[in-house]
Each structure stands twice: as structure tokens, then as C-alpha cells.
Amino acid sequence: MRRILFLALASCLWPAARLGAQQSAHVDVMRSGRRVLTAERMRDDEKILLDGRLDEPAWMRATSAGEFMMQDPVLGGTPTESTEVRVVFNKDHLYLGVICHDSEPDKLLGNTRKRDEFLSADDRFMWTMDTFLNQQTGYFFEMNPAGLMADALMGPGGSNNREWDGIWNARVRQSEIGWVIEIDIPFRTLAFDPNAPAWGINFQRTVRRKNEELLWTGHERNQGLRRMSNAGLLVGLEHVSQGHGLEVKPYVAGTIADGPGRVPEVPRDTTADIGGEVTYNITPSLRAVGTINTDFAETEVDTRRVNLTRFPLFYPEKRGFFLDGATFFDFQVPAFFSRRIGLDANGQPQRVLGGAKLTGQAGRFDLGALYVRTGEDQGALGEDFLVARIRRRVLRQSYVGGIYTGRATRDQTAVPTRSTAGVDFRLATSTFRGRQNLEATGFLGITSLPDEAGDNRSFGLRLGYPNDVWDAGMGFQEVQKNVNPTVGFLPRSDYRQYSPELRYNPRPRGHEWIRRLGFGGELDLYTDTKNRPVTRELDLTVARVEMHSGDNVEVSVVPSYERLEDEFTISTGITLPEGSEYTFTRYRISGNTANKRIISLQPRVEWGSFLSGDRTEVALGMGVRPRPGVTVNLSYELNDVDLVEGSFETKLYRMVADTQFSPFMYLVNNLQFDSVSRVLGWQSRFRWILTPGNDIFFVYTQNWIDPLDPAGRFMTLDRRGAAKGVYTRRF
């Protein structure tokens, strides 16, 4: 089987050096009848002043994209507010000019300003660009009337890397006609196919107070902004340049850290460091990055959670070097999880000496390669990490691919090299039975073993029918007992998983208050590899009601079964015995009020039997937006658990306060406490974007512990201050 897997992986890798063009696929796209927008080339003596005023001659000459179509609340209806989009360019820059007409400009919603914040409460304008014209990958951007800028990388199968920060700039101006956006995206920021006859492009506008969604093309509910197979075409982009393709990004950073209690005889840990990244575009679509003495002082803290399961929780990557180009490493199971590099099991940073990365496209191939070296740090061994990922795009929305990950300690006598190899595929179409979506995915993986013990394979298949009104799927996955992807994330092993799901989401026509209803359920059934049931959870949505106002409520029933294969210590002093079997049913009511309100609520109550007893969970989230640029999010979670083996209670509190002075300067204070660790944590994070790509960060973090003695006071565990400056120069 190893030989078969190696040959399959090699068959994907071998043609990658052949960078043949995709003329036949491009011809099909150009003849597909899509909407077309022509970009206007600027004259050599013309310049665009980024001020939110489309008064330069180039804007006057440019052709408007034309009217949008309504997706909600009336499918195919005429927008109540019109939108104009124009595109102009010169050799180095792509400019978008957008006029969002509004008959009531005093009612525009633009509270949020912070870079990359989600816009669930504001008016917004979004656009996507398929710069390779491959209908599977692309860039996502969005803005609001306050000038917020957000972006993301889009990968095959709907993968989305929101943490990517591209270098681009924009200005917004509000006036009596609505709001106007002027956008500057340097071609150096984008990877693209210079031989493509067009780029895929699409636009979407949200008029929040009316909950109105408007699209330029692909307005059917099975389509949408992110489905690039339904995008329009941007033509006329010729003779554009990425410069020399060289980018230098040095940083300088300093930290000061104290241990518990600031004992006078223990010296303060003070460090100063320099390092950085060098990026070179080997081709317009293939980018290499080298990093040395990598530092992550500016990284946000993780969102704290209480774990009442037998398995570890997944925490997403937040470090910039690993996030850039992350979609090129996506695999159908987390065979590669970058938090395994440079972070210990408790999430504490380890020294990253340096690394290199290659991401991009070559012909029909998506390529990703990563090498990182870590140093010996606080008892951790120095290690070398290697990841290689390739996808070969086939048909319109499909691919086949392979992945390899390796992890080697430089002291091989301590820990031998460990590796994982896998192959996967995705077959998808958006034209099943006319306009329906249908997809099938599958994977096979093998991890190395120190001996020939076997049982080191994982594999799975899934068939999906993700459509509006009806959404269905069926998946199967097996992970054998010796599978251990040491550069991946695997919460459990030695199981088979069956996961059918079916949802029905009708839209009552012409109803005054209700926009959509929801019914259905999904089953997660786990057995061991001998087909003996281990876990069964059937999450049944009895009813979900979505209102035109943006409010919604959902009622669910969750019958479950659990067989403990090992002892399970669910709380201090409370252990459930191995071999125990439990059948229990839980009930849940959840909802949220529309985020556009000054105060919004997200309540959830769950109750019922649980393992050998009962459990009640109460959670409440509250968002407060007193004025533009100020947001406070509060959350509280209580678990009251009463088991035969004992009773316990957990509490979690969180407050995140954003003070957003402008789209380029903000301060975030994050305060969290949970009763399990009894640790109170505070992070204050200030970011000043001098110009896109040039940033200053100040970060202060402090943790206190609540002593068991009720009369005691919180004691300092640690505190740390960091300052970092990042400069970007492009050639």
C-alpha cells in the first residue's frame, strides 16, 4: 500500500514542472455567456488621488458594470438602491470605483472600522476576483461606509483564509447620494495568470437596514459571491506588471517579561530582536517567501473555552507567516496543522529560527511547500518541519492532489523522523439538474511507524448536495488506531465515522416577517474499527425561524449515546469508569437578535440528561455598539453538571472591547476568566497601520490566578509587554 500511495503522489507531482497554458479551459469560460466588465486603461500622465471622489478623467471614461440583481428578500427583484462599479488600471495598480447610492444616507450603518472585522451589523460592499480564471480559487475583499478594509484568500471547496492581509488601500466618502469607495490594489499584491484572457469578478452589496442582498451576477441562491464558476469576467487587463517581484519585510521587536509576583531577586527577562521576510515572485502566479528569526509578538490571544469532552479542542492558527497562502495547504482532513510548528502542547511559543515557503499556481497545478526550523527552547528539542502539497485542477471545479508532511528532530536518537503522506480528490459541479450543486470528495492517508505494526491508514468519502431549500450529504471516514499525523490535528483515532445530514429550508413567499424556515438534522455515528458503537449524536433541528429583521430562533433535540473506551476524568476528582455506556437526550433553544441594533443578544439554553446524570448549560452573548468605532462584546457561559460520580460547575466570562480610532488605528482589550483553570487573562493590543504593509504594534499581556482560598486575592502569574515595528519595501 505504501508503494501504491507513493506512486499516486508521484504521478501528481511529476507534471508540475510542465507549465502549459489552459487555453481550452479559458476558451470555454469566454464563451459561457457571463456578464462582462471592461477595465479602462489609464493614460501615462494620469494619476488617481485616493480620496473617495471619482472625479479623475479615467473614471469618466470607464464603463459601468451595470445594475445588480436582488437575492434577498425578493429573489430576482429590482434593488431599492442602485450601485455603480467601474474599474481602471495602469501598469502597476488596479483601481475600483464604487458608488453606493442611498435614498436615506443618514441611515447608513457603518459602526466597525477595525481591519478584517466581520460585518454582520453594517452596510457593506464585497467583491471577489478569480485572477487565474480557474473557477476554484480567488481573492475576497469587503468594505463598509466607515472605511473598514477586510480581505481573504479563497481555496477549492469553499476554504477561506480570512487572516490573510493583502497590501492595498482605499478611501470612503459619505455624501448626500450615499457612499463612494475608491480602491487601489497593487498588482504586486496579487498572484495571477498573465496569459488569462480575463479575470473572474463579482460584486455584492448589503443594505443592512433592509436586510437586502444585491449581486452583480450569480444571484441565484445556489450561486452567490464566492462561487467563482458563476462570476462575471473582467477583460482588458493587458501589459500589467508586478515590478521586479521582490518584497523585503524586516521587523524590529522588543519584549519585557516578568514571572510570578515580580520577585525582586529574579531578573526581568528583556529581549530585543530583529528578523524578517523576503518574498520573490518566481512567476506572476508563484511566490517564494523566506523568513529568519521569525517573531509573532503581535499575535492575538486564543479565545478561551471550557472542554467537557474526552478530546482536545481545535484552536485556529493566528500567526501571519503561516496564514499567508494557507489555502494552498488545505487537505480534506487536518493532515497539516501549522500550530504544531513553533508552539508547544500548551500553546506557548517556541523559537522559530527560520523557514521558507512556496505557494501559487503553475498551469493547472496549485502548489504549496513549507520548510521551518525551530530551535531548542525550554526543554523542547530543535526540529525540522517539511510540508509539500499539490493539487491538479481538472474539469471546471474539481481536483486531484497529494500531501506529504515530515517532522524530524535533529537528535534522531531522541525521537525518530515522523511523516504522513496522502492523496485526495474533489469532483464538483454547479450544473447538476440545471443549477444544482453536487460534489464528491475523498482522501487516503498513511502515517509512518517506528516498526511494522500496521493499522496506520486513514481514508474517507463524502457525497454532498449543498443547495438552497434542500441540503443533504453523506460521509464515511475511518482512522485506524496507529494513525498519528504529528504535523496535523487528530482529536481521536481507532474509529469509523458515519455522518449523514439532511436539511429543508423553505422560504415562505411574501410573508411579512419570516424570511426562511429550517428543519432537519445531522448524525455523527462513531464506531471502533470492529463496528462496535462508541458515540452517537443526532442533532435534530425541530424548527428554525429567520426573520426579515435579522432576528432568528432555533429549537433542537439531541439524542445521544456514549461508550467510554477509557476512564474519563471530566472534572477534578470525578472520573467515569471505563466501559460505561450512557444514553441521554438534550434539548436546546438558541437565537440572536440582529447585530445592527445598538444592543444585540445571543442567548442559548441547553438542558437534559448527560452521561450518568444531568447537565444544564446557559450562555449569553451581548454586543454593544454605542457609537461608530466603539464595540463591546460580552459573553457568559455556565455549565451545571450533576452526575452519579459527583457534581461540579464551570463558568466562563469574556469581554472584548474595541476602540477603533480609524480604519488604520485601533486598540483591543481582551479580558477572559474561566473557573476551571482559575486564570484571569488580559491582553491589550494596539495596532497602527502607518501605510498598508507598515505597522506598529504594542501588546501587553498579564495573567492572574484565583487562589483556592476564598479569602485570598488574585496573584500575578506572568506579565509581558511587547513592541514591534514592521516595514515593507517592494521592488
Side-chain angles (χ1 to χ4, degrees):
M1 178 61 75
R2 292 174 185 268
R3 183 174 300 174
I4 294 173
L5 185 58
F6 174 80
L7 291 175
L9 184 59
S11 67
C12 291
L13 290 169
W14 173 77
R18 300 169 58 188
L19 308 182
Q22 306 173 56
Q23 282 87 354
S24 60
H26 288 163
V27 168
D28 290 342
V29 173
M30 298 302 291
R31 293 176 177 174
S32 62
R34 299 186 186 193
R35 291 190 76 172
V36 175
L37 171 61
T38 301
E40 174 71 24
R41 189 175 191 94
M42 298 166 58
R43 295 168 184 156
D44 292 342
D45 60 343
E46 288 184 320
K47 292 184 179 180
I48 296 291
L49 175 63
L50 216 61
D51 58 2
R53 299 176 185 272
L54 307 184
D55 51 7
E56 289 85 357
W59 293 123
M60 307 302 176
R61 298 195 311 270
T63 303
S64 174
E67 274 302 330
F68 286 38
M69 294 284 287
M70 188 183 294
Q71 185 182 63
D72 275 319
V74 181
L75 182 63
T78 301
T80 62
E81 311 291 352
S82 65
T83 309
E84 299 178 44
V85 181
R86 291 175 172 84
V87 177
V88 301
F89 72 102
N90 58 24
K91 184 181 71 171
D92 300 310
H93 296 261
L94 179 73
Y95 297 96
L96 280 75
V98 184
I99 303 176
C100 298
H101 293 275
D102 200 297
S103 56
E104 299 176 291
D106 57 318
K107 295 184 179 180
L108 288 173
L109 295 173
N111 185 79
T112 308
R113 298 171 180 169
K114 186 173 73 173
R115 176 72 189 248
D116 285 326
E117 195 76 351
F118 288 93
L119 292 178
S120 59
D122 293 354
D123 288 88
R124 61 184 177 177
F125 179 80
M126 304 175 285
W127 69 101
T128 52
M129 297 190 300
D130 172 9
T131 57
F132 292 95
L133 201 61
N134 61 33
Q135 306 179 71
Q136 299 192 46
T137 62
Y139 295 91
F140 166 87
F141 301 88
E142 69 177 332
M143 295 190 67
N144 73 349
L148 172 142
M149 299 163 59
D151 47 26
L153 293 176
M154 302 188 302
S159 65
N160 184 64
N161 177 10
R162 178 84 179 195
E163 288 76 13
W164 175 75
D165 271 350
I167 296 178
W168 55 289
N169 209 344
R171 292 294 183 273
V172 172
R173 186 178 64 91
Q174 298 186 34
S175 70
E176 66 282 356
I177 67 168
W179 53 297
V180 180
I181 321 173
E182 199 166 24
I183 302 155
D184 173 11
I185 305 176
F187 285 112
R188 298 178 188 184
T189 297
L190 308 172
F192 58 86
D193 180 1
N195 298 313
W199 289 5
I201 197 164
N202 203 0
F203 313 104
Q204 181 172 346
R205 179 183 173 187
T206 302
V207 183
R208 184 66 66 185
R209 68 183 183 277
K210 304 177 184 180
N211 264 355
E212 192 171 306
E213 298 292 347
L214 315 171
L215 282 106
W216 183 58
T217 186
H219 72 280
E220 297 287 343
R221 294 197 175 101
N222 286 342
Q223 299 172 351
L225 180 73
R226 294 175 179 268
R227 189 170 290 278
M228 299 314 297
S229 58
N230 302 115
L233 299 173
L234 178 64
V235 301
L237 296 177
E238 297 178 347
H239 309 297
V240 299
S241 171
Q242 293 179 322
H244 295 290
L246 179 64
E247 178 180 294
V248 180
K249 191 175 183 179
Y251 79 84
V252 58
T255 62
I256 300 176
D258 287 338
R262 184 62 184 107
V263 181
E265 58 270 21
V266 178
R268 200 170 252 151
D269 183 10
T270 303
T271 61
D273 225 339
I274 60 173
E277 299 176 8
V278 177
T279 301
Y280 180 67
N281 291 336
I282 300 172
T283 71
S285 57
L286 197 60
R287 181 170 298 181
V289 183
T291 180
I292 186 169
N293 208 21
T294 314
D295 176 84
F296 305 110
E298 76 280 14
T299 305
E300 297 178 58
V301 295
D302 287 321
T303 300
R304 199 172 297 185
R305 292 183 283 172
V306 172
N307 187 6
L308 297 182
T309 74
R310 296 178 285 151
F311 310 105
L313 299 175
F314 181 90
Y315 288 89
E317 178 63 86
K318 295 187 175 183
R319 298 170 295 170
F321 174 74
F322 295 105
L323 290 169
D324 187 15
T327 54
F328 288 98
F329 296 94
D330 289 339
F331 195 70
Q332 291 178 29
V333 291
F336 170 54
F337 179 44
S338 57
R339 281 182 68 117
R340 297 292 187 216
I341 304 173
L343 291 175
D344 64 19
N346 297 317
Q348 297 303 308
Q350 295 176 276
R351 190 179 176 197
V352 176
L353 301 178
K357 178 166 57 177
L358 177 72
T359 57
Q361 298 188 351
R364 281 186 170 270
F365 292 89
D366 299 336
L367 305 175
L370 174 70
Y371 167 76
V372 175
R373 167 167 280 207
T374 61
E376 295 185 9
D377 192 8
Q378 300 180 357
L381 298 172
E383 294 182 287
D384 295 314
F385 296 83
L386 177 65
V387 183
R389 174 70 162 125
I390 185 169
R391 290 189 296 257
R392 171 64 156 85
R393 281 172 272 111
V394 297
L395 305 175
R396 289 188 177 181
Q397 303 170 51
S398 308
Y399 69 79
V400 294
I403 193 170
Y404 171 83
T405 69
R407 181 174 188 171
T409 56
R410 290 191 284 283
D411 180 5
Q412 285 287 294
T413 61
V415 181
T417 298
R418 294 150 291 171
S419 61
T420 299
V423 293
D424 66 338
F425 72 88
R426 178 176 186 260
L427 299 173
T429 178
S430 57
T431 59
F432 177 70
R433 299 182 60 190
R435 294 183 176 179
Q436 301 297 300
N437 301 310
L438 185 68
E439 59 185 32
T441 58
F443 75 93
L444 168 65
I446 295 178
T447 59
S448 63
L449 294 174
D451 50 38
E452 296 300 323
D455 291 333
N456 60 335
R457 296 173 178 80
S458 59
F459 51 88
L461 292 169
R462 179 169 181 80
L463 180 66
Y465 182 74
N467 291 282
D468 190 66
V469 183
W470 289 102
D471 184 353
M474 177 64 196
F476 168 79
Q477 183 173 294
E478 177 174 321
V479 177
Q480 297 174 353
K481 64 180 180 180
N482 292 323
V483 172
N484 182 22
T486 54
V487 196
F489 179 81
L490 184 68
R492 64 196 295 175
S493 59
D494 191 23
Y495 71 85
R496 289 175 178 156
Q497 179 187 11
Y498 305 85
S499 51
E501 58 183 285
L502 177 65
R503 297 181 182 87
Y504 175 55
N505 303 301
R507 298 174 184 265
R509 291 185 179 180
H511 198 282
E512 185 177 357
W513 300 297
I514 298 175
R515 174 165 293 186
R516 186 166 72 161
L517 301 172
F519 312 93
E522 56 184 291
L523 171 67
D524 267 333
L525 172 62
Y526 289 86
T527 72
D528 60 23
T529 49
K530 297 180 181 178
N531 285 323
R532 295 175 297 187
V534 177
T535 300
R536 182 186 66 245
E537 183 176 281
L538 178 59
D539 195 331
L540 292 171
T541 301
V542 177
R544 175 179 173 83
V545 182
E546 299 178 18
M547 315 297 289
H548 290 301
S549 62
D551 307 316
N552 65 69
V553 64
E554 181 175 314
V555 179
S556 303
V557 179
V558 189
S560 304
Y561 166 84
E562 197 77 40
R563 175 170 62 87
L564 301 184
E565 300 170 287
D566 301 292
E567 286 188 347
F568 174 32
T569 301
I570 191 170
S571 184
T572 303
I574 302 177
T575 300
L576 282 67
E578 175 185 352
S580 301
E581 295 185 62
Y582 307 99
T583 300
F584 52 95
T585 300
R586 301 186 54 70
Y587 307 89
R588 180 174 64 244
I589 299 176
S590 62
N592 66 266
T593 62
N595 289 331
K596 63 187 178 184
R597 296 190 173 95
I598 294 177
I599 297 178
S600 60
L601 301 174
Q602 302 86 40
R604 185 180 79 251
V605 180
E606 188 172 318
W607 72 96
S609 51
F610 177 67
L611 299 176
S612 64
D614 298 289
R615 171 185 167 196
T616 300
E617 179 181 1
V618 178
L620 176 64
M622 177 186 293
V624 183
R625 299 169 178 81
R627 65 180 179 84
V630 176
T631 303
V632 180
N633 288 297
L634 306 169
S635 60
Y636 168 75
E637 181 181 303
L638 165 70
N639 277 284
D640 186 359
V641 183
D642 183 13
L643 305 177
V644 171
E645 294 78 7
S647 301
F648 65 95
E649 186 178 82
T650 70
K651 294 180 180 179
L652 175 65
Y653 306 86
R654 182 181 303 110
M655 181 190 75
V656 180
D658 282 1
T659 305
Q660 302 157 14
F661 306 101
S662 78
F664 304 96
M665 183 187 295
Y666 56 84
L667 174 67
V668 180
N669 284 284
N670 188 331
L671 196 64
Q672 303 180 90
F673 175 79
D674 71 271
S675 61
V676 178
S677 69
R678 309 190 326 279
V679 171
L680 172 66
W682 170 40
Q683 184 188 63
S684 184
R685 183 173 181 266
F686 174 81
R687 182 182 183 184
W688 182 10
I689 305 172
L690 301 173
T691 58
N694 301 310
D695 302 78
I696 294 175
F697 296 91
F698 294 100
V699 181
Y700 180 78
T701 305
Q702 184 162 352
N703 292 296
W704 299 265
I705 190 165
D706 178 21
L708 292 174
D709 181 3
R713 297 187 302 172
F714 279 92
M715 298 181 297
T716 297
L717 278 176
D718 56 73
R719 52 187 174 180
R720 179 176 182 268
K724 183 175 180 179
V726 180
Y727 172 74
T728 302
R729 177 65 185 274
R730 288 172 160 179
F731 301 91

